[in-house]
Amino acid sequence: MTYALIKHIHVSCAVISFTLFFLRGIWSFNNSPIMRQRWIKIVPHVVDTLLLASALMLAFIIGQYPFVDAWLTAKVIGLVLYIGLGLVALKYGKSKTTRVSAWLAALAVFVYIVLVAARHNPL
């Protein structure tokens, strides 16, 4: 696969992942029955797996790696924070205020990750 194709897959998966997380937050906060549908428990994991796989392929192709290159290190740390906040927002938050706050923070972290990717600069 070419760099352009893998990057296209990666960016597309990032957009889909963000959209699904955004919608799942809204549906979760409103106790929507959509959250109990089977596809909503499967599709986000498939998309996120493709997103991570394409990220690893891109890192290999460009020869830059987390914990070597600062911008990729920032993305990995941001990803871990995003996942943690997402778990609080959609699963483990005890109050609606906690869940909404974690969801908003996760959305902000996602934007940070995208900005780091676009600029190749963690600042």
Side-chain angles (χ1 to χ4, degrees):
M1 279 198 246
T2 66
Y3 171 81
L5 176 60
I6 296 169
K7 184 175 179 183
H8 179 73
I9 291 168
H10 184 70
V11 171
S12 297
C13 287
V15 169
I16 294 166
S17 180
F18 180 84
T19 303
L20 286 172
F21 180 71
F22 184 85
L23 290 172
R24 287 167 53 212
I26 292 171
W27 293 332
S28 175
F29 305 142
N30 293 313
N31 295 317
S32 172
I34 293 171
M35 289 300 288
R36 292 184 290 280
Q37 292 182 8
R38 184 170 171 83
W39 75 270
I40 205 67
K41 298 175 190 281
I42 296 169
V43 171
H45 298 295
V46 172
V47 171
D48 291 343
T49 299
L50 290 171
L51 180 61
L52 183 58
S54 62
L56 294 171
M57 292 169 71
L58 287 171
F60 180 76
I61 289 171
I62 66 173
Q64 294 187 345
Y65 306 98
F67 310 109
V68 174
D69 296 287
W71 72 277
L72 278 176
T73 303
K75 281 187 69 172
V76 169
I77 292 168
L79 176 63
V80 171
L81 183 58
Y82 173 73
I83 291 168
L85 289 166
L87 287 170
V88 172
L90 297 178
K91 198 170 191 176
Y92 296 113
K94 300 213 185 284
S95 71
K96 189 171 185 177
T97 302
T98 299
R99 291 178 26 227
V100 170
S101 297
W103 181 70
L104 291 171
L107 294 174
V109 170
F110 190 94
V111 169
Y112 170 75
I113 292 169
V114 170
L115 290 172
V116 169
R119 298 179 179 160
H120 288 204
N121 185 339
L123 304 175

